[in-house]
Amino acid sequence: MIWNVVSWALLLSGAAFVIVGGVGLIRLPDFFTRLHAVSIPDTLGAALISAGLIIQAGLSMVALKLLIILAFLLFTGPTATHALAKTALHGKLAPRTRNPEKTP
Amino acid sequence: MSLLVLLGTMAIAIVRLNRLFAVVILFDIFSLLSAALFVSLGAVDVAFTEASVGAGITTILLLGALSLTSKRQRQISWKRHLPAILITVAIGILLLFGLSDLPRFGDPEAPAFGPLYSRYVFGSPHEIGIPNMVTSILASYRGYDTLGETTVIFTAAVTVLGLMVRGSGARTWSGGGMDHHLILRINSKLMLPLILLFALYVQFHGDYGPGGGFQAGVIFAGGFILYCLVFGLESVQSFAPAGLVRVLCACGLGLYILTGLCGMLLGGNFLDYNVLAHDPLHGQHLGIALIEIGVGTTVAASMFAMFHAYAGYEPQA
Protein backbone atom coordinates (compact mmCIF):
# COMPACT_ATOMS: atom_id res chain seq x y z
CA MET A 1 0.00 0.00 0.00
CA ILE A 2 2.73 2.44 1.02
CA TRP A 3 4.82 1.36 -1.95
CA ASN A 4 1.85 1.95 -4.19
CA VAL A 5 1.51 5.50 -2.92
CA VAL A 6 5.25 6.11 -3.35
CA SER A 7 5.21 4.71 -6.87
CA TRP A 8 2.21 6.79 -7.89
CA ALA A 9 3.79 9.91 -6.42
CA LEU A 10 6.89 9.21 -8.53
CA LEU A 11 4.85 8.52 -11.65
CA LEU A 12 2.72 11.64 -11.27
CA SER A 13 5.67 13.93 -10.54
CA GLY A 14 7.48 12.42 -13.54
CA ALA A 15 4.44 13.13 -15.70
CA ALA A 16 4.33 16.69 -14.33
CA PHE A 17 7.95 17.22 -15.39
CA VAL A 18 7.20 15.85 -18.85
CA ILE A 19 4.29 18.30 -19.20
CA VAL A 20 6.49 21.17 -17.99
CA GLY A 21 9.06 20.20 -20.59
CA GLY A 22 6.40 20.14 -23.32
CA VAL A 23 5.06 23.56 -22.32
CA GLY A 24 8.60 24.92 -22.26
CA LEU A 25 9.28 23.55 -25.73
CA ILE A 26 6.36 25.54 -27.10
CA ARG A 27 6.66 28.70 -25.00
CA LEU A 28 10.39 29.42 -24.76
CA PRO A 29 11.90 31.84 -27.26
CA ASP A 30 15.04 30.39 -28.82
CA PHE A 31 16.88 27.16 -29.56
CA PHE A 32 18.97 26.92 -26.39
CA THR A 33 16.17 27.62 -23.95
CA ARG A 34 13.99 25.09 -25.77
CA LEU A 35 16.78 22.55 -25.54
CA HIS A 36 16.96 23.27 -21.84
CA ALA A 37 13.22 22.61 -21.56
CA VAL A 38 13.40 19.37 -23.54
CA SER A 39 16.21 17.96 -21.42
CA ILE A 40 13.93 17.95 -18.37
CA PRO A 41 11.53 15.20 -19.52
CA ASP A 42 14.53 13.43 -21.04
CA THR A 43 16.28 12.98 -17.72
CA LEU A 44 14.21 13.82 -14.68
CA GLY A 45 10.86 12.83 -16.19
CA ALA A 46 12.17 9.55 -17.56
CA ALA A 47 14.01 8.77 -14.31
CA LEU A 48 10.98 9.44 -12.09
CA ILE A 49 8.59 7.50 -14.33
CA SER A 50 10.98 4.55 -14.58
CA ALA A 51 11.51 4.56 -10.81
CA GLY A 52 7.75 4.52 -10.32
CA LEU A 53 7.36 1.66 -12.78
CA ILE A 54 10.18 -0.30 -11.13
CA ILE A 55 8.34 -0.09 -7.80
CA GLN A 56 5.15 -1.19 -9.55
CA ALA A 57 6.96 -4.17 -11.06
CA GLY A 58 8.47 -5.36 -7.78
CA LEU A 59 11.53 -7.58 -7.62
CA SER A 60 11.50 -9.23 -11.04
CA MET A 61 13.12 -9.36 -14.47
CA VAL A 62 10.87 -6.50 -15.57
CA ALA A 63 12.33 -4.26 -12.88
CA LEU A 64 15.85 -5.14 -13.98
CA LYS A 65 15.04 -4.39 -17.59
CA LEU A 66 13.47 -1.06 -16.61
CA LEU A 67 16.62 -0.26 -14.65
CA ILE A 68 18.76 -0.96 -17.72
CA ILE A 69 16.48 1.19 -19.88
CA LEU A 70 16.76 3.95 -17.28
CA ALA A 71 20.55 3.74 -17.34
CA PHE A 72 20.48 3.83 -21.13
CA LEU A 73 18.26 6.92 -21.13
CA LEU A 74 20.44 8.66 -18.54
CA PHE A 75 23.45 8.03 -20.76
CA THR A 76 21.99 8.94 -24.13
CA GLY A 77 19.61 11.80 -23.30
CA PRO A 78 22.15 14.27 -21.90
CA THR A 79 24.66 13.22 -24.55
CA ALA A 80 22.20 14.02 -27.32
CA THR A 81 21.28 17.36 -25.74
CA HIS A 82 24.92 18.24 -25.24
CA ALA A 83 25.82 17.30 -28.80
CA LEU A 84 22.91 19.35 -30.16
CA ALA A 85 23.86 22.44 -28.13
CA LYS A 86 27.50 22.15 -29.04
CA THR A 87 26.76 21.68 -32.72
CA ALA A 88 24.45 24.71 -32.63
CA LEU A 89 27.18 26.83 -31.06
CA HIS A 90 29.66 25.46 -33.56
CA GLY A 91 27.29 26.41 -36.37
CA LYS A 92 27.38 30.04 -35.14
CA LEU A 93 23.91 30.04 -33.63
CA ALA A 94 24.18 32.67 -30.91
CA PRO A 95 22.12 32.28 -27.77
CA ARG A 96 19.61 35.03 -27.23
CA THR A 97 20.72 37.37 -24.45
CA ARG A 98 19.08 40.32 -22.80
CA ASN A 99 21.03 42.93 -24.75
CA PRO A 100 21.77 41.63 -28.21
CA GLU A 101 25.07 43.56 -28.61
CA LYS A 102 26.90 41.45 -26.06
CA THR A 103 26.48 38.04 -27.66
CA PRO A 104 29.48 35.85 -26.85
CA MET B 1 -8.18 5.11 -30.78
CA SER B 2 -6.21 8.15 -29.65
CA LEU B 3 -3.19 6.60 -31.35
CA LEU B 4 -5.14 6.44 -34.59
CA VAL B 5 -6.14 10.09 -34.25
CA LEU B 6 -2.49 11.01 -33.68
CA LEU B 7 -1.49 8.96 -36.73
CA GLY B 8 -4.04 10.83 -38.83
CA THR B 9 -2.78 14.16 -37.54
CA MET B 10 0.78 13.16 -38.39
CA ALA B 11 -0.21 12.16 -41.91
CA ILE B 12 -1.94 15.50 -42.52
CA ALA B 13 1.02 17.40 -41.07
CA ILE B 14 3.43 15.47 -43.30
CA VAL B 15 1.41 16.38 -46.38
CA ARG B 16 1.03 20.02 -45.37
CA LEU B 17 4.63 20.81 -44.43
CA ASN B 18 7.17 21.67 -47.07
CA ARG B 19 10.26 21.70 -44.89
CA LEU B 20 11.70 18.32 -45.70
CA PHE B 21 13.69 17.96 -42.49
CA ALA B 22 10.53 18.33 -40.41
CA VAL B 23 8.78 15.86 -42.71
CA VAL B 24 11.47 13.24 -42.08
CA ILE B 25 11.21 13.71 -38.32
CA LEU B 26 7.41 13.47 -38.54
CA PHE B 27 7.77 10.21 -40.48
CA ASP B 28 9.91 9.00 -37.60
CA ILE B 29 7.18 9.86 -35.09
CA PHE B 30 4.62 8.27 -37.40
CA SER B 31 6.54 4.99 -37.34
CA LEU B 32 6.94 5.11 -33.58
CA LEU B 33 3.20 5.68 -33.17
CA SER B 34 2.39 2.78 -35.47
CA ALA B 35 4.78 0.64 -33.44
CA ALA B 36 2.84 1.59 -30.30
CA LEU B 37 -0.37 0.74 -32.15
CA PHE B 38 1.00 -2.70 -33.08
CA VAL B 39 1.99 -3.34 -29.46
CA SER B 40 -1.52 -2.47 -28.31
CA LEU B 41 -2.85 -4.94 -30.90
CA GLY B 42 -0.53 -7.62 -29.48
CA ALA B 43 1.73 -7.86 -32.55
CA VAL B 44 5.04 -7.46 -30.73
CA ASP B 45 7.26 -8.74 -33.55
CA VAL B 46 5.72 -6.38 -36.07
CA ALA B 47 6.04 -3.51 -33.62
CA PHE B 48 9.69 -4.34 -33.07
CA THR B 49 10.32 -4.33 -36.80
CA GLU B 50 8.43 -1.09 -37.25
CA ALA B 51 10.34 0.59 -34.43
CA SER B 52 13.76 -0.52 -35.62
CA VAL B 53 13.22 -0.21 -39.36
CA GLY B 54 10.68 2.58 -39.64
CA ALA B 55 11.73 4.78 -36.76
CA GLY B 56 15.39 3.88 -36.77
CA ILE B 57 17.17 3.12 -39.99
CA THR B 58 14.72 4.72 -42.42
CA THR B 59 15.10 8.07 -40.71
CA ILE B 60 18.88 7.88 -40.98
CA LEU B 61 18.71 6.90 -44.65
CA LEU B 62 16.19 9.65 -45.40
CA LEU B 63 18.36 12.22 -43.63
CA GLY B 64 21.33 10.94 -45.61
CA ALA B 65 19.37 11.39 -48.82
CA LEU B 66 18.24 14.81 -47.61
CA SER B 67 21.82 15.95 -47.16
CA LEU B 68 22.20 15.52 -50.93
CA THR B 69 19.15 17.56 -51.91
CA SER B 70 17.66 20.85 -50.83
CA LYS B 71 16.03 21.42 -47.47
CA ARG B 72 12.76 22.63 -48.91
CA GLN B 73 10.19 21.22 -51.22
CA ARG B 74 9.89 23.03 -54.52
CA GLN B 75 6.63 24.85 -54.97
CA ILE B 76 4.63 23.11 -57.64
CA SER B 77 1.24 24.32 -58.80
CA TRP B 78 -1.62 22.09 -57.87
CA LYS B 79 -2.40 21.40 -61.52
CA ARG B 80 0.74 19.28 -61.77
CA HIS B 81 -0.56 17.23 -58.86
CA LEU B 82 -3.98 16.66 -60.39
CA PRO B 83 -3.31 13.22 -61.97
CA ALA B 84 -1.76 11.98 -58.72
CA ILE B 85 -4.69 13.30 -56.70
CA LEU B 86 -7.19 11.64 -59.05
CA ILE B 87 -5.40 8.28 -58.87
CA THR B 88 -5.14 8.47 -55.09
CA VAL B 89 -8.81 9.32 -54.71
CA ALA B 90 -9.80 6.49 -57.07
CA ILE B 91 -7.68 3.96 -55.18
CA GLY B 92 -8.98 5.29 -51.87
CA ILE B 93 -12.58 4.80 -53.01
CA LEU B 94 -11.75 1.27 -54.16
CA LEU B 95 -10.13 0.51 -50.79
CA LEU B 96 -13.13 1.88 -48.90
CA PHE B 97 -15.33 -0.26 -51.12
CA GLY B 98 -13.22 -3.30 -50.28
CA LEU B 99 -13.44 -2.46 -46.58
CA SER B 100 -17.04 -3.64 -46.50
CA ASP B 101 -15.91 -7.15 -47.42
CA LEU B 102 -13.47 -7.41 -44.50
CA PRO B 103 -14.65 -9.45 -41.53
CA ARG B 104 -15.45 -7.67 -38.29
CA PHE B 105 -12.60 -7.27 -35.82
CA GLY B 106 -12.28 -10.48 -33.80
CA ASP B 107 -14.82 -12.34 -35.92
CA PRO B 108 -14.25 -16.09 -35.34
CA GLU B 109 -15.48 -16.85 -38.86
CA ALA B 110 -12.78 -14.67 -40.43
CA PRO B 111 -10.50 -16.35 -42.98
CA ALA B 112 -7.51 -15.62 -40.74
CA PHE B 113 -8.94 -18.17 -38.30
CA GLY B 114 -9.53 -20.77 -40.98
CA PRO B 115 -7.83 -24.14 -41.48
CA LEU B 116 -4.45 -22.54 -42.15
CA TYR B 117 -4.60 -20.82 -38.77
CA SER B 118 -5.22 -24.02 -36.85
CA ARG B 119 -2.62 -25.80 -38.98
CA TYR B 120 0.04 -23.25 -37.97
CA VAL B 121 -0.99 -22.59 -34.39
CA PHE B 122 -1.58 -26.21 -33.39
CA GLY B 123 1.10 -27.66 -35.64
CA SER B 124 3.91 -25.32 -34.71
CA PRO B 125 4.64 -26.57 -31.15
CA HIS B 126 5.31 -30.17 -32.19
CA GLU B 127 6.45 -29.63 -35.79
CA ILE B 128 8.87 -26.75 -35.22
CA GLY B 129 9.15 -26.78 -31.46
CA ILE B 130 10.14 -23.17 -30.83
CA PRO B 131 8.17 -20.94 -28.48
CA ASN B 132 7.87 -17.90 -30.77
CA MET B 133 5.20 -18.87 -33.28
CA VAL B 134 5.85 -15.77 -35.38
CA THR B 135 9.38 -16.95 -36.09
CA SER B 136 8.25 -20.44 -36.94
CA ILE B 137 5.68 -19.14 -39.42
CA LEU B 138 8.03 -16.53 -40.84
CA ALA B 139 11.09 -18.71 -41.20
CA SER B 140 9.70 -22.17 -41.77
CA TYR B 141 6.10 -22.36 -42.97
CA ARG B 142 6.44 -19.16 -44.95
CA GLY B 143 10.09 -19.51 -45.85
CA TYR B 144 9.42 -18.59 -49.47
CA ASP B 145 7.86 -15.26 -48.51
CA THR B 146 10.77 -14.37 -46.26
CA LEU B 147 13.18 -15.33 -49.03
CA GLY B 148 11.27 -12.90 -51.24
CA GLU B 149 11.50 -10.14 -48.63
CA THR B 150 15.23 -10.67 -48.24
CA THR B 151 15.63 -10.52 -52.00
CA VAL B 152 13.70 -7.25 -52.06
CA ILE B 153 16.10 -5.73 -49.53
CA PHE B 154 19.07 -7.05 -51.48
CA THR B 155 17.68 -5.63 -54.71
CA ALA B 156 17.09 -2.26 -53.04
CA ALA B 157 20.67 -2.14 -51.84
CA VAL B 158 21.99 -3.11 -55.28
CA THR B 159 19.84 -0.44 -56.91
CA VAL B 160 20.96 2.29 -54.51
CA LEU B 161 24.58 1.29 -54.95
CA GLY B 162 24.19 1.22 -58.71
CA LEU B 163 22.68 4.70 -58.71
CA MET B 164 24.90 6.32 -56.12
CA VAL B 165 28.38 4.92 -56.42
CA ARG B 166 30.23 6.67 -59.20
CA GLY B 167 33.75 5.53 -59.89
CA SER B 168 36.04 4.92 -56.99
CA GLY B 169 36.43 8.47 -55.71
CA ALA B 170 34.44 8.40 -52.52
CA ARG B 171 34.00 11.85 -51.07
CA THR B 172 36.28 12.51 -48.13
CA TRP B 173 33.39 12.96 -45.85
CA SER B 174 33.50 15.48 -43.05
CA GLY B 175 32.47 12.97 -40.40
CA GLY B 176 35.71 13.67 -38.63
CA GLY B 177 34.20 17.06 -37.82
CA MET B 178 32.95 15.51 -34.58
CA ASP B 179 36.46 15.54 -33.14
CA HIS B 180 35.54 18.24 -30.66
CA HIS B 181 32.56 16.27 -29.35
CA LEU B 182 34.44 14.56 -26.55
CA ILE B 183 31.34 13.52 -24.58
CA LEU B 184 29.63 12.21 -27.70
CA ARG B 185 32.68 10.18 -28.67
CA ILE B 186 33.14 8.60 -25.27
CA ASN B 187 29.46 7.83 -24.84
CA SER B 188 29.08 6.30 -28.26
CA LYS B 189 32.14 4.17 -27.60
CA LEU B 190 30.44 2.99 -24.40
CA MET B 191 27.17 2.32 -26.19
CA LEU B 192 28.49 0.60 -29.30
CA PRO B 193 29.35 -2.78 -27.71
CA LEU B 194 25.99 -2.79 -25.96
CA ILE B 195 24.18 -2.07 -29.22
CA LEU B 196 26.03 -4.84 -31.04
CA LEU B 197 25.45 -7.23 -28.13
CA PHE B 198 21.75 -6.40 -28.19
CA ALA B 199 21.68 -7.02 -31.94
CA LEU B 200 23.22 -10.46 -31.43
CA TYR B 201 20.72 -11.17 -28.65
CA VAL B 202 17.84 -10.22 -30.91
CA GLN B 203 19.33 -12.36 -33.68
CA PHE B 204 19.71 -15.54 -31.68
CA HIS B 205 16.82 -15.08 -29.28
CA GLY B 206 14.33 -14.72 -32.12
CA ASP B 207 13.21 -18.32 -31.59
CA TYR B 208 12.13 -17.57 -28.03
CA GLY B 209 10.98 -13.97 -27.98
CA PRO B 210 10.20 -11.18 -30.38
CA GLY B 211 13.02 -10.53 -32.78
CA GLY B 212 14.85 -12.17 -35.60
CA GLY B 213 17.11 -11.51 -38.51
CA PHE B 214 15.43 -8.37 -39.81
CA GLN B 215 15.45 -6.46 -36.54
CA ALA B 216 18.92 -7.70 -35.57
CA GLY B 217 20.36 -6.71 -38.92
CA VAL B 218 18.92 -3.23 -38.64
CA ILE B 219 20.22 -2.77 -35.09
CA PHE B 220 23.63 -4.04 -36.13
CA ALA B 221 23.77 -1.62 -39.04
CA GLY B 222 22.55 1.15 -36.71
CA GLY B 223 25.50 0.57 -34.39
CA PHE B 224 27.96 0.82 -37.26
CA ILE B 225 26.26 3.92 -38.63
CA LEU B 226 26.53 5.56 -35.21
CA TYR B 227 30.24 4.83 -35.21
CA CYS B 228 30.51 6.20 -38.74
CA LEU B 229 28.69 9.39 -37.83
CA VAL B 230 30.84 10.10 -34.80
CA PHE B 231 34.25 8.94 -35.95
CA GLY B 232 34.03 9.43 -39.69
CA LEU B 233 33.65 7.04 -42.56
CA GLU B 234 37.35 6.27 -42.81
CA SER B 235 37.58 4.69 -39.36
CA VAL B 236 34.94 2.12 -40.28
CA GLN B 237 36.57 1.57 -43.64
CA SER B 238 39.52 -0.06 -41.91
CA PHE B 239 37.57 -3.05 -40.61
CA ALA B 240 34.49 -3.01 -42.86
CA PRO B 241 35.66 -1.94 -46.31
CA ALA B 242 32.89 -1.11 -48.78
CA GLY B 243 33.79 -4.10 -50.94
CA LEU B 244 33.44 -6.51 -48.03
CA VAL B 245 30.06 -5.03 -47.09
CA ARG B 246 28.84 -5.50 -50.66
CA VAL B 247 30.00 -9.11 -50.67
CA LEU B 248 28.26 -9.70 -47.33
CA CYS B 249 25.01 -8.35 -48.84
CA ALA B 250 25.08 -11.20 -51.32
CA CYS B 251 26.45 -13.76 -48.83
CA GLY B 252 23.42 -13.49 -46.56
CA LEU B 253 20.99 -14.12 -49.39
CA GLY B 254 23.29 -16.89 -50.64
CA LEU B 255 23.24 -18.58 -47.24
CA TYR B 256 19.45 -18.47 -47.26
CA ILE B 257 19.22 -20.04 -50.71
CA LEU B 258 21.94 -22.60 -49.93
CA THR B 259 20.02 -23.68 -46.83
CA GLY B 260 17.02 -24.21 -49.06
CA LEU B 261 19.07 -26.11 -51.62
CA CYS B 262 20.60 -28.30 -48.89
CA GLY B 263 17.07 -29.39 -48.05
CA MET B 264 16.62 -30.37 -51.71
CA LEU B 265 19.94 -32.23 -51.90
CA LEU B 266 19.10 -34.21 -48.77
CA GLY B 267 15.86 -35.37 -50.33
CA GLY B 268 13.30 -32.85 -49.15
CA ASN B 269 11.68 -29.86 -50.81
CA PHE B 270 13.26 -26.43 -51.26
CA LEU B 271 13.48 -24.80 -47.80
CA ASP B 272 12.45 -28.05 -46.12
CA TYR B 273 14.43 -28.13 -42.89
CA ASN B 274 13.17 -31.47 -41.61
CA VAL B 275 15.90 -33.37 -43.47
CA LEU B 276 18.79 -31.17 -42.32
CA ALA B 277 19.42 -33.26 -39.19
CA HIS B 278 18.54 -36.74 -37.96
CA ASP B 279 15.62 -35.41 -36.01
CA PRO B 280 13.07 -33.21 -37.85
CA LEU B 281 12.87 -30.86 -34.82
CA HIS B 282 16.64 -30.40 -34.79
CA GLY B 283 16.54 -29.87 -38.52
CA GLN B 284 13.96 -27.16 -38.10
CA HIS B 285 16.01 -25.42 -35.39
CA LEU B 286 19.14 -25.57 -37.52
CA GLY B 287 17.37 -24.37 -40.65
CA ILE B 288 15.68 -21.47 -38.89
CA ALA B 289 18.93 -20.39 -37.23
CA LEU B 290 20.77 -20.54 -40.56
CA ILE B 291 18.25 -18.54 -42.55
CA GLU B 292 17.90 -16.00 -39.74
CA ILE B 293 21.65 -15.47 -39.88
CA GLY B 294 21.34 -15.08 -43.64
CA VAL B 295 18.56 -12.53 -43.28
CA GLY B 296 20.48 -10.65 -40.59
CA THR B 297 23.65 -10.50 -42.66
CA THR B 298 21.88 -9.28 -45.77
CA VAL B 299 19.85 -6.67 -43.91
CA ALA B 300 22.80 -5.32 -41.91
CA ALA B 301 25.12 -5.20 -44.90
CA SER B 302 22.46 -3.68 -47.20
CA MET B 303 21.54 -0.95 -44.73
CA PHE B 304 25.16 -0.09 -44.08
CA ALA B 305 25.99 -0.14 -47.79
CA MET B 306 23.08 2.21 -48.51
CA PHE B 307 24.15 4.58 -45.76
CA HIS B 308 27.68 4.43 -47.08
CA ALA B 309 26.47 5.21 -50.57
CA TYR B 310 24.61 8.30 -49.35
CA ALA B 311 27.37 9.51 -47.07
CA GLY B 312 30.16 8.98 -49.56
CA TYR B 313 28.31 10.30 -52.59
CA GLU B 314 29.99 13.02 -54.55
CA PRO B 315 27.59 14.96 -56.74
CA GLN B 316 29.09 15.49 -60.15
CA ALA B 317 29.74 19.16 -60.60
Side-chain angles (χ1 to χ4, degrees):
Chain A
M1 173 64 201
I2 282 206
W3 282 117
N4 222 354
V5 171
V6 172
S7 124
W8 272 106
L10 285 171
L11 282 175
L12 286 179
S13 51
F17 276 114
V18 172
I19 291 173
V20 166
V23 171
L25 179 67
I26 296 172
R27 296 283 300 168
L28 287 175
D30 80 330
F31 176 78
F32 291 97
T33 45
R34 280 184 192 162
L35 201 58
H36 163 72
V38 172
S39 62
I40 294 173
D42 237 24
T43 49
L44 200 54
L48 285 172
I49 289 179
S50 314
L53 288 177
I54 287 172
I55 294 176
Q56 284 283 330
L59 278 177
S60 63
M61 269 309 278
V62 179
L64 190 67
K65 284 177 185 170
L66 279 167
L67 204 65
I68 294 173
I69 292 175
L70 174 59
F72 184 76
L73 284 176
L74 286 184
F75 262 106
T76 50
T79 313
T81 319
H82 170 84
L84 267 178
K86 197 157 181 177
T87 312
L89 268 181
H90 203 70
K92 306 285 186 292
L93 181 69
R96 184 172 140 147
T97 48
R98 195 159 290 165
N99 41 352
E101 290 86 47
K102 270 200 265 176
T103 46
Chain B
M1 188 63 217
S2 57
L3 278 173
L4 276 180
V5 172
L6 271 174
L7 272 180
T9 321
M10 284 297 153
I12 293 170
I14 288 171
V15 174
R16 298 283 307 169
L17 276 174
N18 73 349
R19 272 166 59 197
L20 292 178
F21 187 82
V23 168
V24 171
I25 299 298
L26 281 178
F27 263 122
D28 189 26
I29 303 174
F30 189 87
S31 293
L32 209 57
L33 283 174
S34 6
L37 196 65
F38 291 142
V39 169
S40 70
L41 287 176
V44 194
D45 281 85
V46 186
F48 196 1
T49 317
E50 181 67 37
S52 56
V53 177
I57 211 91
T58 315
T59 311
I60 303 175
L61 289 180
L62 282 177
L63 287 178
L66 203 58
S67 71
L68 299 176
T69 61
S70 69
K71 293 267 184 292
R72 282 181 176 275
Q73 200 175 341
R74 230 180 325 154
Q75 290 296 333
I76 305 173
S77 84
W78 63 275
K79 280 178 194 145
R80 296 265 304 273
H81 286 308
L82 202 59
I85 293 174
L86 284 180
I87 292 172
T88 316
V89 168
I91 293 177
I93 289 173
L94 276 179
L95 284 178
L96 281 178
F97 188 67
L99 204 63
S100 59
D101 281 345
L102 282 180
R104 273 187 314 111
F105 185 69
D107 186 359
E109 301 286 311
F113 298 109
L116 213 53
Y117 167 83
S118 43
R119 170 78 175 72
Y120 289 159
V121 169
F122 299 113
S124 170
H126 61 89
E127 281 178 356
I128 316 282
I130 58 174
N132 187 3
M133 219 168 272
V134 177
T135 304
S136 75
I137 290 177
L138 185 124
S140 186
Y141 289 120
R142 289 280 170 193
Y144 279 110
D145 300 4
T146 311
L147 179 60
E149 286 160 22
T150 317
T151 317
V152 165
I153 289 173
F154 176 70
T155 318
V158 168
T159 315
V160 169
L161 286 177
L163 284 174
M164 307 285 295
V165 177
R166 297 275 165 78
S168 61
R171 180 174 57 168
T172 46
W173 187 56
S174 61
M178 298 240 184
D179 280 344
H180 57 283
H181 279 291
L182 183 65
I183 295 184
L184 191 59
R185 290 165 71 94
I186 291 177
N187 254 338
S188 40
K189 248 184 196 165
L190 267 177
M191 282 299 154
L192 189 67
L194 295 178
I195 293 174
L196 297 187
L197 187 67
F198 182 63
L200 288 176
Y201 168 78
V202 170
Q203 170 83 51
F204 292 108
H205 204 256
D207 296 2
Y208 302 96
F214 285 100
Q215 296 95 326
V218 166
I219 295 170
F220 218 79
F224 277 102
I225 289 174
L226 170 71
Y227 194 82
C228 250
L229 285 174
V230 177
F231 295 94
L233 276 183
E234 299 81 32
S235 55
V236 181
Q237 280 288 323
S238 57
F239 65 90
L244 176 70
V245 173
R246 277 176 225 164
V247 170
L248 278 179
C249 268
C251 277
L253 192 58
L255 179 62
Y256 199 135
I257 296 171
L258 270 183
T259 313
L261 286 179
C262 275
M264 268 171 101
L265 286 179
L266 292 170
N269 292 321
F270 186 61
L271 288 176
D272 182 359
Y273 314 134
N274 281 337
V275 290
L276 286 181
H278 295 296
D279 183 4
L281 276 186
H282 283 173
Q284 289 286 349
H285 287 196
L286 186 65
I288 289 176
L290 278 175
I291 71 142
E292 290 279 12
I293 291 173
V295 170
T297 315
T298 296
V299 170
S302 304
M303 296 301 155
F304 188 71
M306 282 198 251
F307 169 77
H308 202 281
Y310 283 128
Y313 182 68
E314 190 169 21
Q316 274 159 348

